[in-house]
């Protein structure tokens, strides 16, 4: 089973409680704190483009990148009517290849948790080619402690037309959590069932900061006063 196939059409419906504007506020606060010029931004693992559109409405130029064509199709519909539509690219994060540099890159909603440690190091390295010197890399992750707390739990997300059941199993040996999802979509009087499997990796915060520093990033900071901090989410900010 793959991730973000059938789920993409219902992602926004099932994640209506995500405070995207607070994510955008945090990024703008970091831009202001830095004091540099931030105009062109990269939204890496942009998904359905809700935050991409939010940042574009705030006056930034956006490049959105995601590996899922299904998620990008949702983003195209959402962003197409904006005065300055974002450039949307279908690329794997570890193979990212832009046409020039951006002022900042951000990755939201544990996008980097979906990337294994060896590949994430490659992503950090690749991003140094495309973030201007002095620019920022901002991203959030779920902590290992949060993932461990979900082990064995079963969750239900639903609306009138869709029901999503997902189960969480934490693999301590490989430091990853596996979500098995069953999606039931209403089709008239019947329901269509599909399944997905999502794997996220528990990155130690010390490993993240050490890896960024080893690759040449500076001023690496952990931000804990952030959106969804009660759900085990933390942010990191680093200077290219």
């Amino acid at each position: 089973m793959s991730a973000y196939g059938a789920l993409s059409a219902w992602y926004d419906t099932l994640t209506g409680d995500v405070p995207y504007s607070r994510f955008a506020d945090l990024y703008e606060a970091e831009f202001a704190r830095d004091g540099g010029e931030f105009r062109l931004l990269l939204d890496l693992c942009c998904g359905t483009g809700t935050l991409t559109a939010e940042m574009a409405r705030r006056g930034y130029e956006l490049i959105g990148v995601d590996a899922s064509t299904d998620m990008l199709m949702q983003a195209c519909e959402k962003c197409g009517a904006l005065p300055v539509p974002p450039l949307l690219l279908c690329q794997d994060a570890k193979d990212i290849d832009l046409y020039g540099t951006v002022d900042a890159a951000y990755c939201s909603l544990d996008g980097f948790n979906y990337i294994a440690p060896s590949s994430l190091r490659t992503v950090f390295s690749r991003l140094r080619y495309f973030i201007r010197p002095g620019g920022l890399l901002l991203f959030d992750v779920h902590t290992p402690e949060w993932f461990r707390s979900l082990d064995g739990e079963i969750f239900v997300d639903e609306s009138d037309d869709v029901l999503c059941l997902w189960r969480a199993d934490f693999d301590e040996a490989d430091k990853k959590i596996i979500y098995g999802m069953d999606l039931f979509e209403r089709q008239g009087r019947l329901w269509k069932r599909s399944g997905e499997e999502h794997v996220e990796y528990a990155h130690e915060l010390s490993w993240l900061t050490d890896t960024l520093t080893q690759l040449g990033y500076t001023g690496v900071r952990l931000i804990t006063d952030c959106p969804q901090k009660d759900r085990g989410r933390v942010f990191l900010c680093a200077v290219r």
Side-chain angles (χ1 to χ4, degrees):
M1 292 184 289
S2 61
Y4 294 114
L7 181 62
S8 62
W10 299 101
Y11 182 84
D12 291 337
T13 300
L14 297 171
T15 58
D17 61 339
V18 176
Y20 288 103
S21 62
R22 291 180 57 204
F23 279 70
D25 290 343
L26 184 148
Y27 295 149
E28 290 198 306
E30 292 302 312
F31 298 161
R33 184 179 186 274
D34 179 85
E37 180 180 3
F38 293 90
R39 182 179 179 183
L40 178 59
L41 310 179
L42 167 65
D43 187 341
L44 187 58
C45 307
C46 66
T48 63
T50 302
L51 188 53
T52 318
E54 174 68 21
M55 296 301 284
R57 283 191 291 268
R58 296 187 182 206
Y60 300 96
E61 296 178 18
L62 268 295
I63 300 173
V65 172
D66 202 276
S68 168
T69 56
D70 293 301
M71 295 290 269
L72 283 175
M73 286 175 64
Q74 301 297 319
C76 284
E77 292 185 13
K78 188 176 299 176
C79 298
L82 293 171
V84 182
L87 172 65
L88 299 176
L89 303 174
C90 186
Q91 295 182 353
D92 189 291
K94 68 179 182 296
D95 299 318
I96 187 168
D97 189 10
L98 305 182
Y99 305 106
T101 58
V102 297
D103 299 311
Y106 64 83
C107 183
S108 308
L109 295 166
D110 45 317
F112 281 170
N113 282 122
Y114 276 87
I115 304 175
S118 59
S119 295
L120 187 54
R121 184 181 180 89
T122 300
V123 173
F124 289 154
S125 181
R126 291 286 300 170
L127 285 171
R128 290 195 77 248
Y129 289 110
F130 302 111
I131 301 173
R132 65 164 170 80
L136 296 182
L137 171 60
L138 291 149
F139 63 94
D140 65 76
V141 292
H142 271 128
T143 65
E145 293 74 20
W146 176 256
F147 283 148
R148 290 189 182 97
S149 74
L150 301 181
D151 184 38
E153 296 291 330
I154 298 176
F155 304 89
V156 179
D157 293 312
E158 62 181 322
S159 70
D160 290 341
D161 296 312
V162 64
L163 171 69
C164 183
L165 300 173
W166 51 287
R167 305 161 302 283
D169 295 294
F170 188 75
D171 184 331
E172 187 66 48
D174 291 335
K175 297 294 188 293
K176 65 183 181 182
I177 193 165
I178 302 171
Y179 302 114
M181 292 187 178
D182 287 303
L183 195 70
F184 297 86
E185 307 170 66
R186 185 191 296 275
Q187 295 188 344
R189 298 178 60 186
L190 302 177
W191 292 82
K192 176 184 176 182
R193 179 182 180 181
S194 56
E196 294 196 1
E197 183 175 272
H198 294 241
V199 179
E200 295 193 44
Y201 296 87
H203 303 305
E204 295 291 345
L205 299 179
S206 58
W207 178 84
L208 290 168
T209 56
D210 289 347
T211 300
L212 288 165
T213 301
Q214 292 166 11
L215 292 172
Y217 291 88
T218 61
V220 182
R221 294 192 305 112
L222 187 67
I223 305 170
T224 56
D225 185 15
C226 59
Q228 297 187 328
K229 61 183 178 181
D230 58 328
R231 301 185 186 183
R233 193 178 302 284
V234 297
F235 284 72
L236 284 90
C237 179
V239 179
R240 156 68 171 90

